[in-house]
Structures are given as structure tokens and as C-alpha cells.
Amino acid sequence: SQTIHQWPATLVQPVGSPLSLECTVEGTSNPNLYWYRQAAGRGLQLLFYSVGIGQISSEVPQNLSASRPQDRQFILSSKKLLLSDSGFYLCAWSSQGLAGSDTQYFGPGTRLTVL
Amino acid sequence: GQNIDQPTEMTATEGAIVQINCTYQTSGFNGLFWYQQHAGEAPTFLSYNVLDGLEEKGRFSSFLSRSKGYSYLLLKELQMKDSASYLCAVRDENYQLIWGAGTKLIIKP
């Protein structure tokens, strides 16, 4: 069966510090991968998605970036965090392809607080 | 623009039935998803509808009317563990998921 991991689970960082969040998927090959952010009481905001190694699409211009160095690894980074970067960061995967029924499955998430 | 509307919060009694509505306006339609999200946790998949009608899965059912841009999630025999947020999401013509803000369901004994 497929499993998705994220770490760390929680993170408190000062404004202006760098960020690196990691997501890995097990039990599947060539997945689509996604990074979302969820602000308190809000819906999910898609930040980045990837259909393959080195292929990243950005949905929202901001001070965040994403990389996919391996097939089942997705990294979210920032060089300098802003207060507005606080939130719940979720990684998700889905099967490769464009089937409308492809379900996205989420990792446990990272709660980031920027002070 | 693309829009998903859900009530912000609903309250129901343990053992009762509750219906959570979702209306959408999107560029194209390639399916509608319902997810459950407990506080502080990740969303988990509940159901998928692409054709009009009712899909039943145990205590949970999901209904879709594409002509009306409308769906609902029906929860029967409510249990305290059903207290959570319920997220509606629509896959648009570009196969991207558009998410609603979620409905927080509070179950009272």
C-alpha cells in the first residue's frame, strides 16, 4: 500500500530564516505530487505541483519554491520566511495521468509558525 | 472566477442525520470530491461523484447534480467522531482541484 510521509510535524521559525519541508511517498511510482497551504479556518491553497522529476508548476507567486530531486521526493523551500507564511502545509500525491477520478491522498502535514 | 460555496459551520445531534451542501461554479467539470478533516489533521478522502445521482458508502452518501452545480454530503446515525470539517473540491477542465473552505460540523450529545 502507499504511504506518504512529511517532516517535521511542527516547526517554529523566526522571520527571515530559511525553510525546508520534505515529503516522500512509498509504494507507488511516478506519482503526481502537490504542496498545499491551509491557513487557519480557510480552504486549501495549491502552491506547487509536479508531474515528474524536475518538473514543477507554481500556482501562486510568492517567496516559496519547490523541487523534486527524486521520483518520490518533494521539497518545499524558502530563503527568507515571512509572517504570512505561517500555516498548515500539506503534501499530497495522486496517480500519474489525467483521470478525473484520480484521488489526492495527503500526508500528515507540517504546522509552521513564523514569529 | 471559480468558486466553491459551503456553509461555514453546522451543528447536529448524535444519532441524527445531517446534510452538508456544496455549490460550485467552475470552468469545466471533471468530478467532485468530499474529504473529511479532523482538527489538526490532514484531509482524508470520503467520496467521488462524476455522474448525477447518489453514491452511498455506509453511513455516508454523496449526491451530485451537474446541471445545478450542486452536491451534498449526507451523514446518517451521527457519532461524536464525525465532528470534523468537511471539504468539497471540484476538478476543473484543467484537472486541477478547486477547494471550498470547508464546513465545520459540531456533534452534540
Side-chain angles (χ1 to χ4, degrees):
Chain A
S1 64
Q2 298 84 10
T3 309
I4 180 167
H5 303 279
Q6 280 186 251
W7 63 91
T10 60
L11 193 59
V12 180
Q13 292 284 95
V15 169
S17 64
L19 174 74
S20 181
L21 303 180
E22 190 162 343
C23 170
T24 58
V25 181
E26 296 177 357
T28 186
S29 296
N30 204 24
N32 292 330
L33 295 173
Y34 309 83
W35 277 113
Y36 286 92
R37 177 171 59 203
Q38 187 177 36
R42 304 285 295 275
L44 296 175
Q45 179 187 32
L46 180 63
L47 301 175
F48 301 95
Y49 70 93
S50 171
V51 298
I53 296 175
Q55 300 179 63
I56 309 294
S57 296
S58 173
E59 293 297 306
V60 182
Q62 58 211 327
N63 68 320
L64 299 173
S65 62
S67 62
R68 185 170 177 174
Q70 300 180 44
D71 180 45
R72 288 168 286 180
Q73 184 185 28
F74 206 21
I75 297 172
L76 182 69
S77 304
S78 173
K79 293 182 179 177
K80 287 187 178 182
L81 285 169
L82 307 173
L83 286 174
S84 58
D85 291 325
S86 293
F88 192 39
Y89 287 81
L90 290 156
C91 180
W93 75 272
S94 69
S95 297
Q96 186 61 268
L98 285 179
S101 60
D102 283 341
T103 300
Q104 291 184 14
Y105 298 96
F106 289 85
T110 295
R111 188 160 303 281
L112 172 67
T113 303
V114 182
L115 301 175
Chain B
Q2 310 210 81
N3 196 50
I4 310 276
D5 285 317
Q6 306 178 232
T8 303
E9 187 174 297
M10 299 181 71
T11 302
T13 304
E14 190 177 15
I17 299 173
V18 71
Q19 177 176 311
I20 302 174
N21 295 326
C22 170
T23 58
Y24 62 89
Q25 294 168 321
T26 56
S27 53
F29 178 84
N30 281 296
L32 184 144
F33 295 80
W34 283 97
Y35 282 77
Q36 180 189 60
Q37 185 177 24
H38 285 101
E41 298 182 8
T44 55
F45 170 71
L46 286 178
S47 67
Y48 170 74
N49 295 69
V50 67
L51 300 177
D52 290 351
L54 188 68
E55 295 278 345
E56 296 187 76
K57 272 188 183 182
R59 294 189 299 114
F60 292 9
S61 303
S62 56
F63 172 83
L64 175 67
S65 169
R66 289 171 296 170
S67 63
K68 296 182 179 178
Y70 168 70
S71 173
Y72 67 72
L73 181 69
L74 190 72
L75 291 74
K76 303 176 184 176
E77 302 170 14
L78 286 170
Q79 302 175 9
M80 297 304 293
K81 68 179 181 179
D82 297 329
S83 292
S85 289
Y86 291 86
L87 311 179
C88 174
V90 172
R91 180 157 272 140
D92 70 10
E93 62 186 1
N94 296 315
Y95 290 88
Q96 294 299 329
L97 275 181
I98 311 302
W99 293 86
T103 298
K104 183 177 180 180
L105 178 63
I106 299 169
I107 309 295
K108 295 186 174 180

